Every structure is written in structure tokens, then in C-alpha cells.
Amino acid sequence: GAGPQLTTAFVFSISNEVGDLAKAMQLFQDKQVNIKHIESRRPVRRSDTDFDVYVECEGKNSDLKDLFQCIKDQAVHFNIAENCMDIFEEDDCAFLDGVTWFPTKIGDLDQTANQVLMYGIDFDADHPGFKDTNYRDRRKHFEEIAYQYRHGGPIPTVEYTPAEVKTWSTVFRELNDLYRKCACRQYLANLPLLTMYCGYREGN
């Protein structure tokens, strides 16, 4: 039968060789799985001989299962970016044995953070900053700083422009007025600690 169209997302890594990405993309066509969004990145910790590919895709249960098995066999690494177990029946998940990943130490969160950043790097055409090239460049700059950070490394310092400092100073003042009326007791108790120890204040 036709079956419902299911949507999921995952990250896989392939060798950085001519034609390897085209071969992987051909699998989606062969399995009749539609790609809704795709991004690629050079991994920070691993060898320069491979790169990560993040894909959001849509297809039937059986087609997605076949695609995952093919990608798993071909890829250097294969990680579930969203909980695709939810779209399969329990009996259909055997093909994912050895694939499903979850963090076991704090450094593993670097990987999940990067997947979140990859997912959020783009925005819709109706976004207020969609046609603002300066805004897009600054957004990309901040995203790259966050993407490169790894647990245990020095926390990067972000240099803001005078205009950005002025904007966030206005936001700070307006929010401080609202905090007194709208913030919960726990937030108000910890807000002075952010000012004392983290430099959270107007103009910073």
C-alpha cells in the first residue's frame, strides 16, 4: 500500500572523495525518499578525509528503513539526529541495532549541540532579517563561534559592535522592568548572581 509519509532527520558521514556524495544522494532517489533539507560540514574532531551530512527527509516507513540500512552500510559514521525510533514499529527497529546514540559523558553533548546548530542555521523567507546581508553575516559569525566550541576548551569572547551593544542595552532595560512584575521568585533570586559573577548588565 501507499502508506503514510513520515518525516525524520539524521546525520551521516562519508569520505571526502569525488562522487561519494552523489552516490549517497542517489540512494534517496532509488528508495523514493524525498529530501526536504540538507547541510554538510567538515567535522572538527575527526579526520579531514570525511565530512558530515545532515538530512531531513520524508518517505514511507519501508522506504526509510531500506534507505537507513543502505546509508548505514556506506557511511563512515551514522547518527540519529531526531528520534526516528518514534516513526517505526518496535519490530521494525532491528536494522538500527548499533546505530542509536545517546550521550554518556558531558563532552558528548558537543555532538548534539552541533546537530541543533546545523538544524537552525537557516531561516524562512518571512524572517525580518532574511534580506539583510549584514544581519545574516553576523548571525553566521556567531553560529560558527558556537559550532567550533568544545567542552573543556576556553570559552570564546564575542566582540559586539556599538550598535549591537546599544540594542541589547535597550533590551536589558526593558526586561529588567518586566522582571519585577512577571519573573518567578527563583529567577529574581538568581538574577543578582548573574550580575555579580557573569557580568550580566547593561552595556556588557
Side-chain angles (χ1 to χ4, degrees):
Q5 291 291 304
L6 307 173
T7 300
T8 188
F10 59 98
V11 175
F12 64 95
S13 303
I14 56 177
S15 299
N16 191 17
E17 301 289 343
V18 174
D20 280 0
L21 180 59
K23 293 176 184 177
M25 294 300 96
Q26 184 64 45
L27 293 174
F28 287 82
Q29 180 175 342
D30 293 344
K31 303 302 178 184
Q32 299 185 11
V33 173
N34 182 43
I35 296 176
K36 302 180 68 176
H37 181 83
I38 183 170
E39 299 175 27
S40 64
R41 284 191 178 275
R42 181 67 56 82
V44 176
R45 285 186 171 178
R46 299 199 306 274
S47 167
D48 288 341
T49 60
D50 59 89
F51 64 97
D52 294 334
V53 180
Y54 171 84
V55 180
E56 295 174 40
C57 57
E58 181 181 66
K60 293 188 297 183
N61 181 305
S62 58
D63 293 336
L64 287 170
K65 184 170 65 172
D66 290 344
L67 172 68
F68 279 19
Q69 185 62 65
C70 291
I71 293 289
K72 178 185 174 183
D73 292 342
Q74 181 173 312
V76 179
H77 296 86
F78 184 103
N79 288 323
I80 309 277
E82 295 179 359
N83 190 7
C84 68
M85 289 290 192
D86 290 345
I87 70 172
F88 295 108
E89 298 293 336
E90 184 175 353
D91 292 342
D92 288 337
C93 291
F95 74 101
L96 288 175
D97 287 347
V99 173
T100 305
W101 175 90
F102 58 90
T104 59
K105 57 184 183 298
I106 191 168
D108 291 342
L109 296 179
D110 291 336
Q111 183 167 339
T112 58
N114 285 345
Q115 292 174 2
V116 171
L117 287 167
M118 290 171 73
Y119 183 80
I121 191 173
D122 208 356
F123 44 97
D124 296 331
D126 60 355
H127 188 285
F130 183 78
K131 296 182 179 180
D132 187 335
T133 55
N134 290 331
Y135 172 82
R136 294 178 71 97
D137 289 344
R138 288 296 282 169
R139 178 180 170 126
K140 183 178 179 181
H141 172 68
F142 295 141
E143 188 272 337
E144 287 294 335
I145 292 175
Y147 185 81
Q148 295 295 331
Y149 175 74
R150 292 294 179 270
H151 172 70
I155 297 176
T157 299
V158 177
E159 298 293 337
Y160 291 99
T161 66
E164 290 167 341
V165 172
K166 182 178 179 180
T167 297
W168 288 111
S169 293
T170 301
V171 172
F172 181 91
R173 289 195 303 271
E174 295 294 329
L175 286 178
N176 262 333
D177 290 339
L178 292 173
Y179 290 154
R180 300 184 184 96
K181 296 180 291 185
C182 304
C184 66
R185 182 175 65 255
Q186 291 84 352
Y187 187 91
L188 292 174
N190 285 279
L191 184 59
L193 300 178
L194 287 173
T195 302
M196 184 182 303
Y197 296 110
C198 303
Y200 181 64
R201 61 182 182 273
E202 184 177 345
N204 186 24

